[in-house]
Amino acid sequence: DKIIYMIDRGWIDRVVVGLDYFDSSISKDSPIGISSKQVLDNILKIKNKGCNISISSVYVNDYDNKIKMIEWALKNDIRIKIIEIVNEQKFKSTSKEFIQLENKIKDVFGLEYKKNKYNEIDGLKDNKKAITFFHSHCRIRECDICKQIHLRITASGKMKQCMYNDEDDIDIKSNDFRKKLIKYINTPAKFY
């Protein structure tokens, strides 16, 4: 209701909803929360208000669950973002399981794939972006790409370049924040 209120006033024009389970009494990987059905109903309400809405879901080797989500999203013309698990471990490539998922989904739904400027895969259906596969930039240390996408602000008021390192954090409450922000923007990403 709060989001609908803000959409009606023109304060919000884009919403991304996290959804872990397509059909569960709790929609997220959490001990409390609302049902998947309620989340899906809310997504349709938001879409019917004319707001750009998409779903984000982390892939945890839950192929059948993701298939149901993708079927629903395609049927309702809602973009879905499938995210590879992010952690600080370093590897040379995207996980084999995530690449297998991309390949299976392409065949099952007859999608055309294109790599976007952030080295991620967009799945097109009828020339419209229907799915994006977000591989972990952290896993393969694409810090330069990550810096172009994310601006993270912590609850303690720190701007972070990297989730796994505090070396370049900037205190957004400091008097010289603007100067530090300009320096941050103009400095190439560090690879951790």
Side-chain angles (χ1 to χ4, degrees):
D1 292 336
K2 291 176 185 176
I3 291 174
I4 297 284
Y5 177 89
M6 291 186 277
I7 291 168
D8 285 343
R9 277 145 190 81
W11 300 344
I12 295 176
D13 59 8
R14 183 171 176 239
V15 175
V16 179
V17 176
L19 182 66
D20 293 326
Y21 304 113
F22 178 73
D23 186 14
S24 181
S25 59
I26 300 176
S27 66
K28 297 287 288 171
D29 191 8
S30 170
I32 60 169
I34 64 174
S35 72
S36 301
K37 181 183 181 333
Q38 184 61 53
V39 170
L40 295 169
D41 288 347
N42 288 344
I43 289 169
L44 291 176
K45 285 179 191 173
I46 291 168
K47 180 184 181 222
N48 290 335
K49 288 287 183 177
C51 186
N52 177 343
I53 187 158
S54 60
I55 298 170
S56 286
S57 189
V58 176
Y59 183 61
V60 289
N61 297 327
D62 57 338
Y63 177 76
D64 292 335
N65 181 49
K66 291 300 179 271
I67 286 290
K68 290 174 187 173
M69 284 185 190
I70 293 167
E71 285 173 342
W72 185 90
L74 289 172
K75 176 183 168 195
N76 289 286
D77 195 29
I78 294 171
R79 181 175 167 214
I80 186 164
K81 303 169 185 181
I82 308 296
I83 305 166
E84 182 180 23
I85 290 176
V86 174
N87 60 39
E88 62 183 312
Q89 292 178 305
K90 185 176 182 180
F91 294 92
K92 291 184 180 188
S93 67
T94 301
S95 72
K96 177 179 71 171
E97 296 81 12
F98 197 74
I99 292 170
Q100 287 173 340
L101 174 71
E102 289 175 356
N103 292 332
K104 286 180 184 178
I105 296 301
K106 180 180 184 180
D107 293 339
V108 168
F109 294 103
L111 301 173
E112 176 189 346
Y113 280 2
K114 291 188 177 180
K115 193 173 276 197
N116 65 32
K117 68 180 181 177
Y118 300 117
N119 205 20
E120 297 155 344
I121 302 295
D122 290 324
L124 307 175
K125 186 79 173 177
D126 301 323
N127 291 320
K128 183 176 180 186
K129 193 183 303 183
I131 300 174
T132 300
F133 293 93
F134 291 92
H135 70 270
S136 169
H137 296 294
C138 296
R139 176 185 174 92
I140 55 178
R141 298 305 192 258
E142 290 180 325
C143 301
D144 53 336
I145 293 175
C146 183
K147 184 177 177 185
Q148 294 175 47
I149 300 171
H150 303 290
L151 175 62
R152 300 174 188 91
I153 308 289
T154 68
S156 61
K158 304 285 184 189
M159 189 174 87
K160 299 186 73 58
Q161 174 177 329
C162 180
M163 294 186 303
Y164 302 110
N165 187 303
D166 330 0
E167 184 181 320
D168 297 315
D169 290 5
I170 301 172
D171 185 350
I172 64 172
K173 298 171 286 194
S174 70
N175 290 334
D176 60 349
F177 171 70
R178 181 177 167 77
K179 179 180 172 185
K180 288 180 180 177
L181 177 61
I182 291 168
K183 181 180 177 187
Y184 166 80
I185 291 169
N186 293 318
T187 302
K190 290 186 179 178
F191 293 84
Y192 296 101

